[in-house]
Amino acid sequence: MALVKAGVVVLDCAEPEKLAEFYKGLLDAEEIVASANRVEIRGADGTRLAFRRDVNATPPSWPRPENSFQAHLDFLVDDLDEVERRVVGLGGRPLETKGAPGPHEERGYSDPSGHSFTIRLEPSTAPKQG
């Protein structure tokens, strides 16, 4: 029997209810737990995120190098343009970053509280060419 039932990524923020709404819209998620200081959601694919109230939370400054030890979220998508429209419609903001090296096209954003995340195309399963 596994000791851990599930992993949950927790983001600190000043207003967990508002941030939960953003990610519920992005992930087609449902709220599964809510208290005065925490809201947890589960996406249609099983992704679990929680948002914890921290009245002193300040937005991360990524991609500035002085805060390079921060985590960010990656979401695999089929259509970058469609997901970008949804992100912006929900209140997310594109980040100005240099294109990521490698074969995967991706785009960076920040959520309404300033946490960074990336949407990227699922990698091709085709054999390497050349």
Side-chain angles (χ1 to χ4, degrees):
M1 181 168 107
L3 295 176
V4 176
K5 289 184 172 185
V8 179
V9 174
V10 181
L11 300 176
D12 292 343
C13 58
E15 300 176 276
E17 301 83 4
K18 287 185 179 180
L19 196 55
E21 286 302 315
F22 172 82
Y23 283 103
K24 281 169 42 179
L26 179 62
L27 301 173
D28 292 325
E30 63 177 331
E31 188 174 292
I32 57 173
V33 176
S35 67
N37 291 310
R38 181 181 166 115
V39 177
E40 186 174 330
I41 64 170
R42 181 175 45 231
D45 70 347
T47 300
R48 291 174 69 168
L49 296 174
F51 312 97
R52 186 181 70 89
R53 187 176 319 279
D54 177 353
V55 295
N56 296 315
T58 57
S61 63
W62 187 89
R64 293 192 314 235
E66 63 269 19
N67 286 337
S68 62
F69 291 115
Q70 296 181 12
H72 74 277
L73 305 170
D74 273 2
F75 298 106
L76 302 176
V77 303
D78 290 323
D79 185 325
L80 289 167
D81 294 330
E82 180 181 343
V83 176
E84 180 171 285
R85 285 189 292 274
R86 186 175 215 177
V87 166
V88 172
L90 291 165
R93 296 176 305 278
L95 294 175
E96 294 185 60
T97 59
K98 295 178 182 175
H104 309 297
E105 187 175 353
E106 59 184 42
R107 297 178 189 168
Y109 301 89
S110 66
D111 66 27
S113 291
H115 302 101
S116 62
F117 65 93
T118 301
I119 61 171
R120 63 182 174 93
L121 295 175
E122 286 208 60
S124 170
T125 57
K128 185 176 180 178
Q129 300 290 317

